[in-house]
Amino acid sequence: MAGVAKQFLWGAASAAYQVEGGWQDGGRGLCKWDIYTNEERITEKVVGVQHTGNVAINTQDRAQYLKDIGLMRDLGLDAYRFSLSWPRILPEGTGQVNGEGVDYYSRFVDDLLAAGITPLVTLYHWDFPAGLFADGGWHNRASIDWFRDYAAVVFDALGDRVRHFITMNEPFIDIFYMDLIAENMRAGRSEPYRFTSEQYGRQAPAMHNLLLANAETVAEFRRRGQEGMIGIALPLYPTVTLDPEKPANVAAAKLTDGLINRWPLDAVFKGTYPQDAIAALQAENPDFVVPEADMATIRANPVDFLGVNFYSPALVRHDPAGPLGIDRDANPDAIKSFNGPVRPEALHDLLIRIRDEFGNPPVMITENGAGFGDGDEVRDGDLIRDPHRADYIRRHAEATLRARQEGCDIRGYMVWSLFDNFEWIQGYTRRFGMVHVDFDTQERTPKQSFFLYRDLIARHHRDAAPG
Ligand code: BGC
């Protein structure tokens, strides 16, 4: 972990497919989301509007992103987390490197550094190269080599300047959520979010290959004596058992914790898999076997830091019709955030759990944020009022700092997101930004949460200043 200062980084996060656009520009190849949106018309099928990331918020255009970096400076960001489009760098996902794509990211890194902003680079935020996805994606064991080789190209290109790499973003959501929604829509099913135990069992080997690819990439990073740190960003959902007097609900919550939280956490820190979750998946898919040699590879390559993506706890009950008997969708809040009930204390408790159960690793909050719908996006003269988002960010930043005071080794906090952008299945119908984007004109307008976060960062910078 050479070359990383222990300074706490205040930042914001984004992902390539959600912001870049330029889907066929600059030699970029296609990713699975280009197919999901353009060919399979997934957003149209789920939310009734045909949206794609073809243009998104146009950050592939340097003139645009330089203005955006201006806003980051105005906000006072120490760090900006963004992801690379794998097929912008390797149009086919493997083989020929696209020099123009590499140059684009290299220049973006230089432009951030020139503005005094630390780049945090995610290698994979769900945009699997389309051709390789058709060849099985993470289901194909060759994906381990594909990914490691892609990572090596990135380390060659950016490793002299970037000190924080994140291998993957939210494997569980990619494999057990987004791909299953896509599958349901392709199959013409009426309920996009209704998954089966059979589907979960079938996806399990893909998750295993991804975790192996993560381990092999960490090994590659170390083999090169690369400076800096490498981590993974996990979607962590502390579980709350609904009606806990029913044993089946307690069991469902424990299994949910095993699947979503313990599986990747145990893998990247302890080199083990939780037996309860693995057994439940194997019961559905007897072909899902975990060779000891694979576990040895995973054990030998723990990550340097953990990226925590936290939105809400998961409220769980048993549902015989749910995948593996789990139902985790209820949100009892009167004012509902899109990504679940607002519970900042659950973030605090999660951070304490990571400190106590996983050896107090360096942690970065790599995503935290919220969207509440039109009622929290209200134009008032020049201002856009989003008091619920502002309050959400303030309370979660406080929960983070409280855990830090209690000894958690937390290195930073990134809001999701700086800008409104392409919200996957929901297209442009859900906003998460501290900056409003007019998707027709690309005009940016800071919201109330932007000013709240600016004040919060400024206050902390003052408090942290020497003397
Ligand atoms: C994802 C982001 C997404 C955000 C808000 C996270 O799970 O990593 O890409 O936009 O949630 O829904």
Side-chain angles (χ1 to χ4, degrees):
M1 274 189 256
V4 202
K6 250 194 143 183
Q7 175 211 1
F8 188 90
L9 299 173
W10 293 98
S14 68
Y17 190 75
Q18 297 180 267
V19 299
E20 280 182 8
W23 72 307
Q24 292 182 333
D25 295 339
R28 178 186 180 278
L30 298 183
C31 73
K32 76 177 177 193
W33 274 91
D34 295 309
I35 309 297
Y36 283 175
T37 57
N38 287 282
E39 285 179 23
E40 300 183 2
R41 302 174 77 91
I42 191 169
T43 62
E44 184 175 33
K45 287 180 185 160
V46 179
V47 291
V49 283
Q50 169 49 14
H51 289 170
T52 71
N54 297 1
V55 177
I57 64 165
N58 195 35
T59 64
Q60 52 90 33
D61 174 359
R62 185 164 183 252
Q64 176 63 64
Y65 84 57
L66 286 174
K67 287 191 234 160
D68 293 345
I69 290 177
L71 275 167
M72 295 179 206
R73 292 192 58 156
D74 186 17
L75 182 52
L77 292 191
D78 301 313
Y80 185 63
R81 174 183 175 226
F82 62 99
S83 82
L84 311 178
S85 157
W86 181 348
R88 193 180 286 288
I89 292 180
L90 292 158
E92 305 296 331
T94 171
Q96 192 67 40
V97 175
N98 174 30
E100 221 181 310
V102 171
D103 289 349
Y104 163 73
Y105 290 117
S106 187
R107 188 179 281 190
F108 184 55
V109 164
D110 284 341
D111 288 331
L112 283 172
L113 289 170
I117 298 169
T118 299
L120 268 52
V121 172
T122 307
L123 297 173
Y124 175 72
H125 196 129
W126 307 350
D127 42 6
F128 214 98
L132 298 185
F133 189 66
D135 290 341
W138 295 118
H139 288 272
N140 188 332
R141 233 183 123 93
S143 60
I144 300 160
D145 295 336
W146 299 336
F147 187 77
R148 191 210 33 241
D149 294 351
Y150 155 57
V153 172
V154 173
F155 297 151
D156 281 341
L158 307 179
D160 57 336
R161 286 154 292 158
V162 173
R163 293 287 168 268
H164 300 82
F165 285 102
I166 293 161
T167 53
M168 285 94 173
N169 181 74
E170 301 195 349
F172 186 87
I173 307 296
D174 183 32
I175 292 173
F176 288 87
Y177 189 72
M178 295 296 181
D179 284 351
L180 292 182
I181 296 170
E183 179 179 294
N184 284 350
M185 294 297 89
R186 209 174 299 125
R189 299 188 185 115
S190 57
E191 292 181 76
Y193 305 103
R194 178 163 282 281
F195 309 136
T196 64
S197 300
E198 187 271 328
Q199 284 178 311
Y200 267 30
R202 192 154 32 80
Q203 294 302 80
M207 180 77 170
H208 175 61
N209 288 338
L210 180 149
L211 289 168
L212 267 173
N214 172 72
E216 291 273 0
T217 303
V218 170
E220 176 72 24
F221 184 84
R222 301 233 165 89
R223 226 180 345 259
R224 292 160 167 260
Q226 201 73 52
E227 273 192 53
M229 317 165 84
I230 188 158
I232 188 167
L234 300 177
L236 295 177
Y237 285 86
T239 51
V240 176
T241 312
L242 299 170
D243 303 326
E245 65 287 352
K246 295 193 183 134
N249 291 348
V250 176
K254 181 162 176 288
L255 184 56
T256 305
D257 185 53
L259 267 178
I260 303 184
N261 304 321
R262 278 183 284 122
W263 188 2
L265 281 172
D266 285 356
V268 301
F269 289 117
K270 300 179 175 170
T272 60
Y273 280 177
Q275 281 320 303
D276 54 348
I278 299 302
L281 292 162
Q282 285 173 331
E284 295 302 326
N285 179 2
D287 293 339
F288 174 41
V289 285
V290 180
E292 180 41 44
D294 289 358
M295 291 316 296
T297 302
I298 289 175
R299 206 157 32 243
N301 297 291
V303 293
D304 293 324
F305 76 99
L306 174 65
V308 170
N309 288 8
F310 175 86
Y311 289 88
S312 73
L315 308 188
V316 185
R317 75 171 87 245
H318 172 66
D319 173 4
L324 308 183
I326 294 167
D327 174 12
R328 60 176 195 99
D329 270 332
N331 179 354
D333 290 358
I335 298 164
K336 290 191 196 323
S337 113
F338 295 135
N339 286 14
V342 178
R343 302 285 184 279
E345 65 282 5
L347 171 58
H348 167 268
D349 297 352
L350 168 69
L351 294 169
I352 299 294
R353 177 184 182 191
I354 292 164
R355 180 194 70 184
D356 295 346
E357 283 182 34
F358 297 95
N360 202 14
V363 166
M364 185 86 78
I365 310 296
T366 35
E367 283 182 32
N368 177 243
F372 295 85
D374 290 347
D376 202 43
E377 310 279 347
V378 180
R379 205 172 267 277
D380 179 2
D382 285 345
L383 188 62
I384 294 174
R385 295 204 180 275
D386 58 346
H388 295 296
R389 177 177 296 110
D391 186 58
Y392 180 101
I393 293 170
R394 180 184 59 72
R395 291 166 66 202
H396 286 79
E398 280 168 7
T400 303
L401 292 172
R402 189 152 61 83
R404 189 163 183 253
Q405 275 160 10
E406 293 166 19
C408 300
D409 186 3
I410 306 171
R411 310 289 180 94
Y413 171 86
M414 311 290 130
V415 171
W416 185 277
S417 187
L418 182 53
F419 299 104
D420 294 334
N421 57 45
F422 177 79
E423 181 54 24
W424 307 112
I425 304 289
Q426 316 293 332
Y428 298 98
T429 64
R430 288 187 174 181
R431 296 176 181 272
F432 277 80
M434 294 180 286
V435 176
H436 177 275
V437 177
D438 179 323
F439 297 118
D440 295 324
T441 63
Q442 297 297 345
E443 190 189 348
R444 273 68 162 150
T445 311
K447 305 178 192 174
Q448 181 182 352
S449 56
F450 178 97
F451 298 107
L452 167 287
Y453 195 43
R454 186 169 75 172
D455 290 349
L456 189 149
I457 295 173
R459 195 169 62 247
H460 287 282
H461 281 163
R462 268 197 310 276
D463 291 350

